[in-house]
Amino acid sequence: MLIELGELVAREVQARTNRDARAILERLGSLALGQEVDEEPIEHQVLRASFLVERKRIRAFDAAMEDVASGQAGRIDFKYVGPLPPHSFVGLEAG
């Protein structure tokens, strides 16, 4: 019985994490030219992603990020780093 309860709690935590990640991606992704999502974030992370943002949209992106973070204050801690070189969006082809 306790194992079933633990599995139920684990499934609900994962479902909530997935909902939170989708909501964050929807809000921020609309301001970006592209996004790269790490399919296996580190344990206890909701989302690990890179966003390719045009220079002229950085302020709007920053404001949206602040809005998302303040809306989740006390529930989700955000680590937001940037701008950085767009290394996550560079692909190399063997030729």
Side-chain angles (χ1 to χ4, degrees):
M1 180 79 109
L2 288 177
I3 291 174
E4 291 173 4
L5 178 60
E7 290 173 349
L8 179 64
V9 169
R11 281 194 303 271
E12 181 53 36
V13 167
Q14 187 59 52
R16 178 180 274 189
T17 298
N18 292 341
R19 285 191 304 269
D20 289 338
R22 278 193 307 272
I24 293 166
L25 288 172
E26 283 179 19
R27 177 70 173 97
L28 299 177
S30 65
L31 297 168
L33 294 172
Q35 60 190 28
E36 288 292 323
V37 178
D38 188 340
E39 295 300 324
E40 293 187 32
I42 298 169
E43 187 177 14
H44 304 295
Q45 283 186 341
V46 171
L47 176 68
R48 184 179 181 98
S50 299
F51 296 89
L52 184 61
V53 179
E54 291 178 282
R55 287 186 192 275
K56 65 184 179 184
R57 299 192 84 187
I58 289 175
R59 282 189 182 182
F61 188 88
D62 288 344
M65 183 67 231
E66 288 297 322
D67 185 51
V68 169
S70 67
Q72 298 299 328
R75 197 170 87 71
I76 300 174
D77 292 325
F78 286 83
K79 181 177 180 184
Y80 176 51
V81 180
L84 298 171
H87 61 272
S88 295
F89 301 93
V90 175
L92 300 175
E93 292 183 26

